[in-house]
Protein backbone atom coordinates (compact mmCIF):
# COMPACT_ATOMS: atom_id res chain seq x y z
CA UNK A 1 0.00 0.00 0.00
CA UNK A 2 1.26 3.47 -0.85
CA UNK A 3 2.58 5.42 2.10
CA UNK A 4 0.46 8.41 3.04
CA UNK A 5 1.97 11.83 2.59
CA UNK A 6 2.02 12.25 6.33
CA UNK A 7 4.78 10.07 7.72
CA UNK A 8 3.27 7.50 10.09
CA UNK A 9 4.23 8.07 13.72
CA UNK A 10 4.24 5.15 16.15
CA UNK A 11 4.71 6.00 19.84
CA UNK A 12 5.04 3.70 22.84
CA UNK A 13 3.69 4.80 26.21
CA UNK A 14 5.19 2.51 28.81
CA UNK A 15 3.09 4.02 31.63
CA UNK A 16 4.20 2.90 35.12
CA UNK A 17 6.18 -0.09 33.93
CA UNK A 18 9.90 -0.93 33.73
CA UNK A 19 12.72 -0.23 36.13
CA UNK A 20 15.66 1.53 34.53
CA UNK A 21 17.48 -1.75 33.90
CA UNK A 22 14.43 -3.29 32.22
CA UNK A 23 13.86 -0.11 30.26
CA UNK A 24 17.42 -0.03 28.98
CA UNK A 25 17.11 -3.59 27.68
CA UNK A 26 13.76 -2.98 25.97
CA UNK A 27 14.88 0.33 24.43
CA UNK A 28 18.01 -1.30 23.03
CA UNK A 29 15.94 -4.11 21.49
CA UNK A 30 13.51 -1.64 19.92
CA UNK A 31 16.28 0.61 18.59
CA UNK A 32 18.02 -2.35 16.99
CA UNK A 33 14.88 -3.78 15.41
CA UNK A 34 13.51 -0.58 13.88
CA UNK A 35 16.78 0.61 12.39
CA UNK A 36 15.64 0.63 8.77
CA UNK A 37 12.08 1.84 9.36
CA UNK A 38 10.79 4.92 7.57
CA UNK A 39 8.35 5.65 10.41
CA UNK A 40 8.66 8.28 13.10
CA UNK A 41 9.07 6.32 16.32
CA UNK A 42 9.02 7.43 19.96
CA UNK A 43 9.13 5.64 23.29
CA UNK A 44 8.10 7.19 26.59
CA UNK A 45 9.44 5.36 29.65
CA UNK A 46 8.75 6.50 33.23
CA UNK A 47 10.77 9.55 34.35
CA UNK A 48 13.12 7.37 36.38
CA UNK A 49 14.18 5.45 33.27
CA UNK A 50 14.65 8.41 30.91
CA UNK A 51 18.43 8.58 31.31
CA UNK A 52 18.86 4.83 30.86
CA UNK A 53 16.67 4.83 27.76
CA UNK A 54 18.48 7.84 26.32
CA UNK A 55 21.76 5.96 26.69
CA UNK A 56 20.30 2.81 25.15
CA UNK A 57 18.87 4.74 22.18
CA UNK A 58 22.28 6.31 21.65
CA UNK A 59 22.42 7.39 18.01
CA UNK A 60 19.22 5.59 16.99
CA UNK A 61 16.47 7.65 15.38
CA UNK A 62 13.90 6.61 18.00
CA UNK A 63 12.73 9.70 19.86
CA UNK A 64 12.80 9.91 23.63
CA UNK A 65 9.49 10.91 25.20
CA UNK A 66 8.11 11.68 28.66
CA UNK A 67 4.61 10.82 29.86
CA UNK A 68 3.80 14.06 31.64
CA UNK A 69 5.27 17.40 32.71
CA UNK A 70 4.63 20.17 35.23
CA UNK A 71 2.66 23.28 34.26
CA UNK A 72 5.34 25.57 35.75
CA UNK A 73 8.96 26.35 34.95
CA UNK A 74 10.31 25.60 38.43
CA UNK A 75 9.62 26.24 42.09
CA UNK A 76 7.80 24.72 45.04
CA UNK A 77 6.02 21.87 43.24
CA UNK A 78 6.81 18.73 45.18
CA UNK A 79 6.84 15.66 42.99
CA UNK A 80 6.66 17.51 39.68
CA UNK A 81 9.09 17.51 36.74
CA UNK A 82 9.91 20.77 34.95
CA UNK A 83 10.28 21.09 31.18
CA UNK A 84 13.94 22.07 31.44
CA UNK A 85 14.59 18.87 33.41
CA UNK A 86 13.20 16.91 30.48
CA UNK A 87 15.11 18.72 27.76
CA UNK A 88 18.26 18.40 29.87
CA UNK A 89 17.85 14.60 29.68
CA UNK A 90 17.44 14.65 25.91
CA UNK A 91 13.65 14.32 25.94
CA UNK A 92 12.15 15.51 22.65
CA UNK A 93 8.46 14.74 23.10
CA UNK A 94 5.95 14.88 25.94
CA UNK A 95 2.57 13.15 26.16
CA UNK A 96 0.00 15.53 27.69
CA UNK A 97 -3.66 15.14 28.61
CA UNK A 98 -3.62 11.36 28.72
CA UNK A 99 -6.99 10.07 29.92
CA UNK A 100 -5.36 8.46 32.96
CA UNK A 101 -4.03 11.90 33.98
CA UNK A 102 -7.49 13.37 33.41
CA UNK A 103 -9.46 10.64 35.19
CA UNK A 104 -7.16 9.54 38.03
CA UNK A 105 -5.30 12.78 38.76
CA UNK A 106 -8.04 15.26 37.94
CA UNK A 107 -6.21 17.15 35.19
CA UNK A 108 -8.61 19.45 33.40
CA UNK A 109 -8.39 21.15 30.03
CA UNK A 110 -7.11 24.42 31.51
CA UNK A 111 -4.21 22.70 33.24
CA UNK A 112 -3.44 20.60 30.17
CA UNK A 113 -3.42 23.73 28.01
CA UNK A 114 -0.89 25.40 30.33
CA UNK A 115 1.33 22.35 29.97
CA UNK A 116 0.94 22.30 26.20
CA UNK A 117 1.99 25.95 25.87
CA UNK A 118 4.88 25.54 28.29
CA UNK A 119 6.16 22.43 26.54
CA UNK A 120 6.06 24.18 23.16
CA UNK A 121 7.87 27.18 24.63
CA UNK A 122 10.66 24.76 25.56
CA UNK A 123 10.75 23.24 22.08
CA UNK A 124 9.23 19.95 23.19
CA UNK A 125 7.01 18.15 20.72
CA UNK A 126 3.59 17.59 22.34
CA UNK A 127 1.32 14.60 21.89
CA UNK A 128 -2.03 15.98 23.05
CA UNK A 129 -4.44 13.18 23.99
CA UNK A 130 -8.19 13.56 23.62
CA UNK A 131 -11.01 11.04 23.84
CA UNK A 132 -14.47 10.36 25.16
CA UNK A 133 -15.64 7.96 27.87
CA UNK A 134 -18.13 5.18 27.14
CA UNK A 135 -20.91 7.14 28.86
CA UNK A 136 -20.20 10.16 26.67
CA UNK A 137 -20.18 8.01 23.54
CA UNK A 138 -23.43 6.31 24.46
CA UNK A 139 -25.01 9.69 25.13
CA UNK A 140 -24.04 10.79 21.61
CA UNK A 141 -21.52 13.31 22.97
CA UNK A 142 -18.27 11.86 21.62
CA UNK A 143 -17.76 14.48 18.91
CA UNK A 144 -18.58 17.41 21.20
CA UNK A 145 -16.31 16.14 23.97
CA UNK A 146 -13.36 15.52 21.67
CA UNK A 147 -13.77 18.87 19.88
CA UNK A 148 -13.96 20.70 23.19
CA UNK A 149 -10.88 18.96 24.64
CA UNK A 150 -9.00 19.79 21.48
CA UNK A 151 -10.07 23.42 21.36
CA UNK A 152 -9.22 24.01 25.01
CA UNK A 153 -5.98 22.04 24.80
CA UNK A 154 -4.80 24.13 21.86
CA UNK A 155 -6.00 27.51 23.14
CA UNK A 156 -3.29 30.11 22.56
CA UNK A 157 -1.12 27.72 20.54
CA UNK A 158 -0.44 29.76 17.44
CA UNK A 159 1.70 27.37 15.48
CA UNK A 160 0.71 23.73 15.15
CA UNK A 161 4.04 22.33 14.04
CA UNK A 162 5.41 20.39 16.97
CA UNK A 163 1.93 19.30 18.02
CA UNK A 164 0.60 15.79 17.45
CA UNK A 165 -2.93 14.81 18.43
CA UNK A 166 -3.76 11.35 19.78
CA UNK A 167 -7.40 10.28 19.67
CA UNK A 168 -7.83 7.72 22.42
CA UNK A 169 -11.39 6.70 23.23
CA UNK A 170 -11.19 6.03 26.97
CA UNK A 171 -13.24 2.85 26.68
CA UNK A 172 -10.65 1.37 24.31
CA UNK A 173 -7.59 1.91 26.51
CA UNK A 174 -6.22 -1.27 28.02
CA UNK A 175 -9.52 -3.07 27.47
CA UNK A 176 -8.86 -5.00 24.28
CA UNK A 177 -11.74 -3.08 22.67
CA UNK A 178 -10.83 -0.80 19.79
CA UNK A 179 -12.91 1.71 17.92
CA UNK A 180 -13.78 0.27 14.53
CA UNK A 181 -11.31 1.60 11.96
CA UNK A 182 -14.09 3.53 10.23
CA UNK A 183 -15.41 5.08 13.47
CA UNK A 184 -11.88 6.06 14.45
CA UNK A 185 -11.28 7.49 11.00
CA UNK A 186 -14.46 9.54 11.24
CA UNK A 187 -13.31 11.07 14.54
CA UNK A 188 -9.89 11.79 13.05
CA UNK A 189 -11.55 13.49 10.09
CA UNK A 190 -13.54 15.66 12.50
CA UNK A 191 -10.35 16.59 14.38
CA UNK A 192 -8.69 17.55 11.10
CA UNK A 193 -11.63 19.65 9.97
CA UNK A 194 -11.75 21.44 13.34
CA UNK A 195 -8.07 22.23 12.99
CA UNK A 196 -8.65 23.52 9.48
CA UNK A 197 -11.30 25.91 10.74
CA UNK A 198 -9.17 27.14 13.66
CA UNK A 199 -5.86 27.29 11.76
CA UNK A 200 -5.74 26.68 8.02
CA UNK A 201 -5.77 23.91 5.47
CA UNK A 202 -2.01 23.41 5.41
CA UNK A 203 -1.88 23.00 9.18
CA UNK A 204 -4.75 20.52 9.06
CA UNK A 205 -3.20 18.50 6.25
CA UNK A 206 0.16 18.34 8.00
CA UNK A 207 -1.23 17.40 11.42
CA UNK A 208 -0.34 13.92 12.62
CA UNK A 209 -3.32 12.31 14.35
CA UNK A 210 -2.50 9.08 16.15
CA UNK A 211 -5.07 6.55 17.26
CA UNK A 212 -4.68 4.94 20.68
CA UNK A 213 -6.58 2.28 22.56
CA UNK A 214 -5.68 -1.42 22.40
CA UNK A 215 -3.59 -1.11 19.25
CA UNK A 216 -1.97 -4.53 18.70
CA UNK A 217 -0.01 -6.19 15.88
CA UNK A 218 -3.26 -7.83 14.73
CA UNK A 219 -5.26 -4.62 14.22
CA UNK A 220 -2.55 -2.07 13.45
CA UNK A 221 -2.52 -2.45 9.66
CA UNK A 222 -6.25 -1.90 9.30
CA UNK A 223 -6.23 1.12 11.59
CA UNK A 224 -3.15 2.66 9.99
CA UNK A 225 -4.52 2.25 6.49
CA UNK A 226 -7.40 4.65 7.24
CA UNK A 227 -7.08 7.97 5.49
CA UNK A 228 -6.93 10.15 8.60
CA UNK A 229 -5.09 7.79 10.96
CA UNK A 230 -1.43 8.77 10.87
CA UNK A 231 0.01 6.60 13.58
CA UNK A 232 -0.59 4.95 16.90
CA UNK A 233 -0.06 5.67 20.57
CA UNK A 234 0.54 2.22 21.97
CA UNK A 235 0.33 1.24 25.64
CA UNK A 236 0.30 -2.46 26.52
CA UNK A 237 1.74 -3.67 23.23
CA UNK A 238 4.73 -1.33 23.57
CA UNK A 239 6.00 -3.23 26.62
CA UNK A 240 7.46 -6.05 24.52
CA UNK A 241 9.86 -5.37 21.66
CA UNK A 242 8.24 -7.95 19.37
CA UNK A 243 4.74 -6.55 19.54
CA UNK A 244 5.83 -2.90 19.38
CA UNK A 245 8.10 -3.54 16.43
CA UNK A 246 5.33 -5.48 14.64
CA UNK A 247 3.13 -2.37 14.95
CA UNK A 248 5.95 -0.14 13.69
CA UNK A 249 6.38 -2.49 10.74
CA UNK A 250 2.65 -2.81 9.94
CA UNK A 251 2.02 -1.91 6.30
CA UNK A 252 5.75 -1.43 5.62
P1 LIG B 1 -3.31 0.55 25.41
O1 LIG B 1 -2.99 2.04 25.93
O2 LIG B 1 -2.62 0.39 24.08
O3 LIG B 1 -2.77 -0.35 26.46
O4 LIG B 1 -4.80 0.47 25.26
C1 LIG B 1 -2.97 3.13 25.05
C2 LIG B 1 -2.68 4.40 25.81
O5 LIG B 1 -3.16 4.56 26.94
O6 LIG B 1 -1.98 5.29 25.31
Amino acid sequence: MAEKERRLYIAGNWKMHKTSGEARTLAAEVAKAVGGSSRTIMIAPPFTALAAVRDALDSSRVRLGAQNMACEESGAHTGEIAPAMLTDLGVETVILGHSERRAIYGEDDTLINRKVRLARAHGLEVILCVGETIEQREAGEAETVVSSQLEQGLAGVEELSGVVVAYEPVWAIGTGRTASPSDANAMHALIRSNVESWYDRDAAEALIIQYGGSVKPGNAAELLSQQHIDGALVGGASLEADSFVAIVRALE
Side-chain angles (χ1 to χ4, degrees):
M1 171 163 306
E3 188 78 274
K4 285 178 241 193
E5 268 179 47
R6 294 180 291 273
R7 181 195 291 255
L8 291 181
Y9 186 165
I10 312 296
N13 171 12
W14 293 0
K15 305 192 180 181
M16 198 170 69
H17 296 283
K18 308 289 177 188
T19 61
S20 47
E22 293 163 348
R24 186 192 304 272
T25 306
L26 177 55
E29 285 170 3
V30 169
K32 189 160 171 240
V34 299
S37 171
S38 58
R39 304 277 148 85
T40 306
I41 305 160
M42 183 277 272
I43 51 182
F47 292 127
T48 47
L50 283 168
V53 168
R54 175 202 55 202
D55 293 348
L57 293 177
D58 192 21
S59 55
S60 117
R61 41 184 295 283
V62 177
R63 293 185 191 172
L64 181 64
Q67 301 172 18
N68 188 22
M69 194 194 81
C71 64
E72 299 282 352
E73 296 277 357
S74 65
H77 295 279
T78 302
E80 290 291 310
I81 305 289
M85 297 169 185
L86 297 179
T87 52
D88 177 54
L89 281 176
V91 170
E92 300 165 85
T93 303
V94 62
I95 300 169
L96 296 173
H98 191 279
S99 66
E100 288 150 17
R101 302 296 320 169
R102 294 176 189 263
I104 309 172
Y105 299 100
E107 295 197 7
D108 63 14
D109 290 304
T110 307
L111 177 72
I112 293 161
N113 175 251
R114 286 173 65 190
K115 294 185 179 193
V116 169
R117 286 185 285 126
L118 186 61
R120 291 303 302 132
H122 281 262
L124 285 158
E125 174 183 73
V126 168
I127 298 182
L128 171 62
C129 302
V130 294
E132 81 286 358
T133 62
I134 192 64
E135 294 78 16
Q136 291 163 333
R137 172 154 287 256
E138 284 171 353
E141 294 165 358
E143 285 78 11
T144 332
V145 167
V146 167
S147 297
S148 162
Q149 288 175 345
L150 191 65
E151 185 171 16
Q152 295 184 70
L154 294 177
V157 178
E158 277 163 25
E159 183 37 68
L160 263 201
S161 63
V163 176
V164 170
V165 172
Y167 169 56
E168 300 203 300
V170 177
W171 46 272
I173 296 177
T175 58
R177 293 178 64 189
T178 33
S180 73
S182 62
D183 282 355
N185 191 55
M187 188 65 88
H188 285 224
L190 172 73
I191 291 170
R192 205 177 300 288
S193 84
N194 279 333
V195 164
E196 182 171 344
S197 66
W198 301 329
Y199 293 84
D200 58 29
R201 192 176 174 84
D202 287 350
E205 284 301 314
L207 180 69
I208 299 293
I209 309 174
Q210 297 172 328
Y211 172 79
S214 298
V215 178
K216 308 283 177 215
N219 60 22
E222 204 189 349
L223 286 161
L224 294 174
S225 61
Q226 302 294 311
Q227 187 189 353
H228 292 287
I229 300 184
D230 311 313
L233 181 54
V234 185
S238 70
L239 294 173
E240 302 279 343
D242 287 354
S243 47
F244 185 64
V245 170
I247 294 168
V248 170
R249 296 249 178 245
L251 293 179
E252 250 183 359

